[in-house]
Amino acid sequence: MARLLYRLGAGAHRHRLLVVLVWLVALAGAGVGAATLSGPTSDSFSIPGQESTIAQDKLQEEFDSGGGVTAKVVLRAPDGQQLTSPANVAEIKSLVSELSEQPGVTTASDPLNPNSPTISPDRTTAYSTVTYDATAGEVTSEQREALLDTVEQADEGAFTVEVSGQAVMATPSVGGPAEAIGVIVALVILALTYGSLVTAGMNLITAGVGVGIGALGISIATGFMELQSTTSILATMLGLAVGIDYALFIINRHRQELRQGTDIRTSIATAVGTAGSAVLTAGITVFIALAGLSVVGIPFLTQMGLAAAATIVVAVLVALTLVPAVLGYLGHHVLPRKQRTAPAGEAGSEHGSTADAENGSANDRSFHQKWISAITRGRVPALLISLVALGVVAIPAASMQTTLVQTPSEGTTQARAQQMLADSFGPGVNGPLVAFFEGGDAPRTAQQASGAIAGLDDVATVTPPVPNASGDAAMLTVIPESGPSSQETEQLVGDLRDRLDGIGGADSYVTGTTAVSVDVAQALDQALPIYLVLVVGLALILLVLVFRSILVPLVGVLGFLLTLGAALGATVAVFQWGWLSNVINLDDTGPLISLTPILMIGILFGLAMDYQIFLVSRMHEAYHKGHAPRDAIVNGFRQAAPVVVAAALIMFSVFAGFVPAGNATIKSIAFALAIGILVDAFVVRMVLMPAALALLGRAAWWLPGWLRWLPALDVEGAALTDVDGSHGETGSGERQRAGIGS
């Protein structure tokens, strides 16, 4: 693999103009495609074949609802008045008429209709349901703004008017101030790492090309399939983080080679052959973790996983081709000014000491030397302290709750509308459940079930049954006493299904927002163990091939489990318990989004193995050269730790940038990933892992005899090593053996 990548790096340098043009054309083509072919995205999560999803489809078919997305316009009368007074009735009818004439609106219900429970018992609050001819995600920004403007104008009159619902939920997007701050922080870290703003900017720009192509490609895909609105955000967040990091590793190795006096072309090729091998292996690990989401059988997770995995593929290709091509144009400007010398490209010229090339500045070298020496000497205390600390942080994870019900941000019209509804009708009105009956006796069965349902715990109201036109289907609405994301409402879903199973005469189904959330959560809980075993198993095989060891991959995977527990524990403490919620601009506490655990496993496992590969591969390289086990740990750590620290801080800043202003789905996922990166890089990989390897000694690199037939993945670039043990293929004989001309 190292020789193949060496050739790829040399070819990218040789044909750098063509490589740059190809990537720019690809970016421009993706932009044109996104502008002309993109379609709407969806904000709803459901799984085909589940009871709640089947019921929703049947409701649309039997009651001709058309599946149009809705909004609830909530009205409150002035203090001391009722909505049913003649003057107020006239104003309400005028508002309803105006709502029904909004662009894209098919109907706007009369909130004063005596046959529907849309007016509060005290006649002070009511709501009109505005239905669009579009499904979720298809309401245009112009239609949304028109509705919001109408509500705002009505609110300036005698009534208090607010609006909520999917129709007024804007599709989440990237590029806000918080995300920009994360990118700026990443640029600062890169500039400090390289000592060169030009190199830092080049790193960021090449990563941006990969992210742009990936995100625009997802936009193109929305024109041909229904994708979740969060898919592009997730892919952008992940693609930007790994794109910066992968380029960082290759650029850092290239700079080391230049400082040793290697000419530019050979240095670039060697960097791609060595660091590029680690990048490719790490990218494959992340790809496995994300593409593995498809095996759980949940369509929206499959789409999110494959979209993110495709972005990772683009990021790897950019790092292996575009980065070396641009490095060819930068020449020795990739180094700080004081480390450059006269004739650029002169092999053998001095660009700084070899020690600096391997280890960075003297201060960094001294710090990392002292750190790893302390860890390896005090390996038992270091191991125990890190285990206890991670275990304590993971404790809140035991009380984790999940839901798909999203709470609008505090201070928005959606939040105010829901609060008005909860105050006047009870919290359950924001998450009603629907019982659907199908069969010849459906209306009679629905009537019979109505009385039985009313006696269940947490039921506030049961509306009269509504039959369809042909009389072979019926529905009734159940208003819980508790809010849509509460455990009591989730329990009511199960109680409803149990009660309806005992009533004959028609097939029965339960649906509604909370019912969908319960069904998806159950599917995710069932899929999680299968997914974890599959991803961990495949990654273990890959790591065994990389390190030719059994114990190193096992320790790495066990370390990831500790990272996962700590990240989930911290996320539960903040998002569910409310600890430090003000720091991250969290409006409300409550259950985590159901997607958080499984997406965390997929993404965080791949990224954790990235650091495992980048850090431990240098230790393995030193051991392969004949260093004693402890010396190999120290030597490898000194070489890899500085760049891993920079990479982790960059990834943390990118993920953290999506937290303060992130939408509900992305917010908890981004926070969990940011904390997971810090824990994994600075505790697991830089304390626990070297301490464990120091305890294991030579046994860490042991491979049973019956596995020695396994192929070796040359991540460290051993195939590029000269007779004297140095890298860089400075000798022409080795270049000829690798098939590379001088």
Side-chain angles (χ1 to χ4, degrees):
M1 181 168 68
R3 290 188 177 186
L4 178 63
L5 292 177
Y6 183 98
R7 296 188 186 101
L8 180 63
H13 171 266
R14 185 181 305 114
H15 306 290
R16 49 190 176 274
L17 177 60
L18 176 62
V19 172
V20 171
L21 289 176
V22 166
W23 279 109
L24 291 179
V25 169
L27 180 61
V32 172
T36 56
L37 300 175
S38 63
T41 57
S42 173
D43 292 311
S44 60
F45 296 94
S46 60
I47 302 175
Q50 291 188 317
E51 178 177 332
S52 56
T53 306
I54 294 172
Q56 286 181 330
D57 294 339
K58 289 180 177 293
L59 280 169
Q60 294 175 12
E61 180 182 346
E62 297 295 343
F63 290 89
D64 195 27
S65 64
V69 68
T70 63
K72 285 183 179 179
V73 177
V74 188
L75 307 94
R76 176 175 291 163
D79 291 342
Q81 298 184 28
Q82 291 186 332
L83 294 174
T84 51
S85 67
N88 288 337
V89 168
E91 282 198 45
I92 291 173
K93 289 187 178 298
S94 174
L95 176 59
V96 170
S97 175
E98 187 176 352
L99 291 173
S100 63
E101 294 174 359
Q102 292 286 304
V105 171
T106 56
T107 60
S109 67
D110 181 3
L112 303 182
N113 185 345
N115 296 321
S116 61
T118 58
I119 184 168
S120 63
D122 61 3
R123 301 293 189 264
T124 62
T125 306
Y127 62 90
S128 171
T129 301
V130 180
T131 305
Y132 284 80
D133 59 3
T135 58
E138 292 182 346
V139 176
T140 65
S141 58
E142 291 78 10
Q143 293 171 342
R144 188 183 306 111
E145 289 301 322
L147 176 59
L148 292 173
D149 289 343
T150 300
V151 169
E152 185 176 352
Q153 292 174 9
D155 187 56
E156 294 175 355
F159 298 143
T160 300
V161 186
E162 305 291 352
V163 60
S164 70
Q166 279 191 310
V168 291
M169 291 176 60
T171 301
S173 59
V174 296
E179 291 93 329
I181 291 173
V183 174
I184 292 172
V185 172
L187 179 61
V188 171
I189 295 170
L190 287 172
L192 293 175
T193 301
Y194 293 133
S196 167
L197 192 58
V198 171
T199 309
M202 168 263 180
N203 190 331
L204 200 58
I205 290 172
T206 54
V209 170
V211 171
I213 292 174
L216 293 171
I218 293 172
S219 295
I220 294 173
T222 60
F224 303 92
M225 64 183 72
E226 184 180 81
L227 294 178
Q228 299 298 320
S229 58
T230 54
T231 300
S232 61
I233 300 178
L234 184 67
T236 299
M237 178 174 62
L238 187 56
L240 183 61
V242 301
I244 294 174
D245 280 5
Y246 290 170
L248 170 63
F249 287 111
I250 291 176
I251 295 170
N252 184 69
R253 187 58 182 255
H254 169 56
R255 283 155 53 95
Q256 290 179 2
E257 295 295 329
L258 285 181
R259 291 192 190 103
Q260 291 182 10
T262 309
D263 66 274
I264 292 174
R265 179 172 55 185
T266 305
S267 176
I268 291 174
T270 303
V272 177
T274 52
S277 297
V279 165
L280 180 59
T281 306
I284 292 173
T285 307
V286 181
F287 180 88
I288 290 173
L290 292 171
L293 288 168
S294 60
V295 305
V296 302
I298 300 176
F300 65 80
L301 264 184
T302 298
Q303 294 167 356
M304 294 173 78
L306 291 179
T311 306
I312 296 300
V313 171
V314 175
V316 171
L317 292 176
V318 165
L320 297 179
T321 57
L322 181 60
V323 169
V326 177
L327 286 176
Y329 282 112
L330 286 181
H332 287 94
H333 290 283
V334 74
L335 294 170
R337 184 180 301 274
K338 63 182 180 181
Q339 294 179 4
R340 303 173 202 159
T341 60
E346 236 182 70
S349 63
E350 250 185 61
H351 301 284
S353 69
T354 302
D356 283 347
E358 290 296 317
N359 308 315
S361 70
N363 288 336
D364 286 344
R365 186 167 67 253
S366 174
F367 172 79
H368 291 103
Q369 172 74 45
K370 292 176 180 177
W371 176 271
I372 191 60
S373 297
I375 294 296
T376 53
R377 283 198 306 268
R379 47 192 176 274
V380 174
L383 192 62
L384 292 177
I385 291 172
S386 58
L387 287 173
V388 171
L390 293 175
V392 170
V393 177
I395 289 175
S399 61
M400 181 176 64
Q401 301 170 8
T402 60
T403 183
L404 278 179
V405 180
Q406 300 183 18
T407 303
S409 300
E410 187 178 352
T412 62
T413 183
Q414 293 93 330
R416 291 192 294 268
Q418 290 195 7
Q419 188 60 52
M420 288 168 61
L421 289 171
D423 292 341
S424 300
F425 297 90
V429 75
N430 290 311
L433 301 174
V434 177
F436 173 76
F437 302 87
E438 184 180 47
D441 292 333
R444 184 184 63 81
T445 304
Q447 184 65 49
Q448 180 183 355
S450 180
I453 292 172
L456 292 175
D457 292 339
D458 202 51
V459 172
T461 306
V462 181
T463 64
V466 179
N468 68 341
S470 59
D472 59 356
M475 61 170 283
L476 53 85
T477 302
V478 180
I479 307 296
E481 292 180 349
S482 305
S485 62
S486 67
Q487 288 184 296
E488 291 81 4
T489 304
E490 292 183 0
Q491 179 62 43
L492 179 59
V493 172
D495 294 343
L496 270 174
R497 288 171 173 168
D498 292 341
R499 181 61 58 91
L500 295 180
D501 283 344
I503 300 176
D507 295 330
S508 61
Y509 306 84
V510 176
T511 188
T513 304
T514 304
V516 171
S517 175
V518 169
D519 288 346
V520 171
Q522 290 177 347
L524 289 172
D525 289 343
Q526 294 171 0
L528 200 58
I530 299 172
Y531 173 67
L532 189 59
V533 169
L534 175 73
V535 170
V536 170
L538 290 176
L540 270 175
I541 294 173
L542 180 64
L543 292 177
V544 168
L545 297 177
V546 169
F547 296 118
R548 305 286 293 172
S549 163
I550 294 294
L551 295 180
V552 170
L554 282 175
V555 173
V557 169
L558 291 175
F560 161 73
L561 295 178
L562 292 170
T563 296
L564 179 64
L568 281 176
T571 306
V572 168
V574 173
F575 283 80
Q576 196 171 304
W577 295 359
W579 293 5
L580 301 177
S581 57
N582 292 334
V583 176
I584 65 165
N585 193 31
L586 183 64
D587 296 325
D588 299 290
T589 59
L592 304 182
I593 295 298
S594 298
L595 305 178
T596 301
I598 195 165
L599 285 178
M600 266 191 65
I601 291 174
I603 298 172
L604 198 54
F605 181 78
L607 299 180
M609 293 305 102
D610 278 6
Y611 297 134
Q612 174 80 358
I613 290 170
F614 288 125
L615 194 60
V616 181
S617 64
R618 297 306 293 263
M619 299 177 185
H620 187 217
E621 180 181 359
Y623 183 76
H624 176 77
K625 289 180 178 179
H627 289 274
R630 183 177 176 277
D631 292 339
I633 295 170
V634 172
N635 190 53
F637 187 91
R638 284 192 298 110
Q639 295 179 36
V643 72
V644 169
V645 168
L649 291 176
I650 289 167
M651 198 167 284
F652 170 80
S653 66
V654 171
F655 289 152
F658 285 80
V659 174
N663 76 321
T665 304
I666 291 297
K667 202 177 187 76
S668 60
I669 297 173
F671 177 85
L673 291 175
I675 295 299
I677 289 298
L678 284 184
V679 169
D680 194 82
F682 295 105
V683 180
V684 173
R685 306 303 155 190
M686 295 195 176
V687 178
L688 192 147
M689 174 61 64
L693 293 182
L695 274 175
L696 291 172
R698 294 188 182 277
W701 311 107
W702 169 76
L703 184 70
W706 55 275
L707 287 178
R708 297 196 181 277
W709 57 271
L710 291 173
L713 296 182
D714 184 14
V715 173
E716 298 91 12
L720 307 179
T721 305
D722 286 332
V723 177
D724 63 358
S726 63
H727 283 281
E729 288 206 346
T730 53
S732 60
E734 181 59 35
R735 284 198 297 274
Q736 291 171 1
R737 289 193 294 275
I740 313 267
S742 59

